[in-house]
Amino acid sequence: MNYTLHQLQVFLKITQTQSITKAAEELHLTQPAVSIQLRNLQDQFEIPLTEVIGRRIFITDFGKEIAVAAERILNEVHAINYKTLAYKGQLIGRLKITVVSTGKYVMPYFLSAFLKQHRGIELVLDVTNKARVIESLEKNEVDFSLVSVLPENLQVENIELMENKLYLVGNREQHFKSQLHNNSIFEEIPLIYREAGSGTRHVMERYIRQNSLPVIKKMELTSNEAVKQAVIAGLGYSIMPLIGIKNELNNGDLQIIPVKGFPIESTWNLIWLKNKSFSPVANSFLDYIQKEKGKTIQEWFGWLNQF
């Protein structure tokens, strides 16, 4: 047999996501590249690793056993790398973080300088939906998670990182008066929602309920990027986090519509399980965040104060 570590890594990701498309996204590869690696690995076994029924891929019992072995092999490889760096006196290990989808505009900036200081740390960052983020915490699969809405039924500790401001936005086709609009504007414009379970949608719907807004729900989309493109295309309006629309505001694709009571505000929180035992890497990152978060906000997010 002549399988490679890369083939094992790709196959393991397929088993975890149950999808070639999702595996490709998380590995930052194209779908054809993932399919080729899977085929090359399969060619070395007479027993099928996967089975395709309709448009879905299923992992066979044999494939599941190979996935367990692949994870063990990859973990041993990481251990060898860590030991090499340890002999050089570097902080080593994995830092595992899950982030809700809009948090991808936030978390990298709180990681960049820390990872540059500690080259021996391997980052495992999963940008996913809120349900998966909470699940990863419940199963103790990660060190930290980034959320804008704290979980209600899970005991966690947290550090507040920064404000999360949401505005009513539309494209540039329609001209709105610069004066402050009242809530009656929602009777005239169709709103595009995020999917159920999204932190953005939770904050948005809570505000709508509290203020008894007469909204017109136009459609529901599953990511911040999808909502943004739909708004730019003129399919409707939405209530969106400012953090994710900087470029579109600067180049004129989107406009903020001034409405009384806006922005809606929540807080980005770095959270972890209560009483969690941290690895040296996780403990070092927590200490870094506590000391450096103000500097990070000033350096990277000062532009938010313009709105």
Side-chain angles (χ1 to χ4, degrees), residues 38-301:
L38 175 60
R39 184 171 65 247
N40 289 343
L41 181 64
Q42 177 62 76
D43 286 345
Q44 299 176 70
F45 300 97
E46 295 181 0
I47 305 171
L49 298 170
T50 61
E51 182 179 7
V52 177
I53 300 176
R55 300 183 66 181
R56 294 186 61 188
I57 187 169
F58 295 88
I59 312 303
T60 65
D61 289 342
F62 177 69
K64 291 175 182 177
E65 291 189 22
I66 296 299
V68 171
E71 185 171 22
R72 188 162 56 244
I73 291 168
L74 292 170
N75 285 338
E76 288 299 322
V77 171
H78 289 305
I80 292 171
N81 293 337
Y82 296 155
K83 287 176 182 178
T84 302
L85 292 169
Y87 271 93
K88 297 180 181 179
Q90 297 183 30
L91 181 65
I92 58 170
R94 284 182 176 179
L95 180 62
K96 298 181 180 180
I97 302 175
T98 48
V99 176
V100 295
S101 58
T102 309
K104 66 187 176 185
Y105 303 111
V106 177
M107 198 69 237
Y109 299 98
F110 287 92
L111 287 162
S112 178
F114 176 74
L115 294 176
K116 288 176 181 177
Q117 291 174 15
H118 304 288
R119 301 286 183 176
I121 293 176
E122 178 190 354
L123 173 65
V124 180
L125 181 65
D126 185 14
V127 180
T128 183
N129 57 50
K130 182 185 173 186
R132 172 58 190 145
V133 167
I134 301 305
E135 180 187 3
S136 69
L137 274 177
E138 288 178 327
K139 293 183 176 180
N140 198 28
E141 296 174 345
V142 296
D143 299 305
F144 304 101
S145 294
L146 181 69
V147 297
S148 60
V149 178
L150 292 173
E152 296 179 355
N153 301 315
L154 190 63
Q155 288 191 318
V156 298
E157 297 182 67
N158 70 292
I159 291 180
E160 293 186 356
L161 290 187
M162 54 185 285
E163 288 182 327
N164 181 36
K165 296 182 178 181
L166 292 85
Y167 289 85
L168 177 64
V169 298
N171 68 7
R172 288 291 182 177
E173 288 183 357
Q174 187 167 346
H175 176 71
F176 288 89
K177 296 178 181 178
S178 57
Q179 67 188 43
L180 207 58
H181 297 267
N182 59 37
N183 289 339
S184 63
I185 191 174
F186 290 99
E187 298 176 359
E188 307 168 11
I189 60 173
L191 277 185
I192 300 173
Y193 280 54
R194 282 288 305 276
E195 77 282 5
S198 156
T200 297
R201 176 162 172 168
H202 176 85
V203 173
M204 174 178 165
E205 289 189 319
R206 182 178 60 192
Y207 183 87
I208 289 171
R209 286 194 307 270
Q210 290 173 347
N211 294 273
S212 301
L213 299 184
V215 299
I216 305 169
K217 184 177 177 181
K218 176 73 172 180
M219 67 180 68
E220 181 178 304
L221 299 173
T222 58
S223 73
N224 193 67
E225 285 299 317
V227 172
K228 186 161 52 177
Q229 294 305 317
V231 173
I232 291 173
L235 296 178
Y237 301 79
S238 193
I239 296 172
M240 303 190 69
L242 179 61
I243 193 74
I245 57 174
K246 176 184 178 182
N247 292 337
E248 289 74 18
L249 290 173
N250 286 340
N251 64 27
D253 288 334
L254 294 176
Q255 62 173 317
I256 290 176
I257 303 165
V259 178
K260 184 179 180 180
F262 279 68
I264 306 171
E265 295 186 359
S266 62
T267 303
W268 287 110
N269 283 274
L270 189 70
I271 63 175
W272 60 93
L273 280 179
K274 190 173 183 180
N275 300 321
K276 181 175 176 60
S277 297
F278 284 127
S279 67
V281 168
N283 203 46
S284 180
F285 180 64
L286 186 59
D287 183 61
Y288 170 83
I289 288 293
Q290 290 170 329
K291 292 178 180 177
E292 300 293 334
K293 73 170 186 175
K295 180 180 177 182
T296 301
I297 293 169
Q298 184 178 6
E299 180 178 358
W300 293 105
F301 300 106

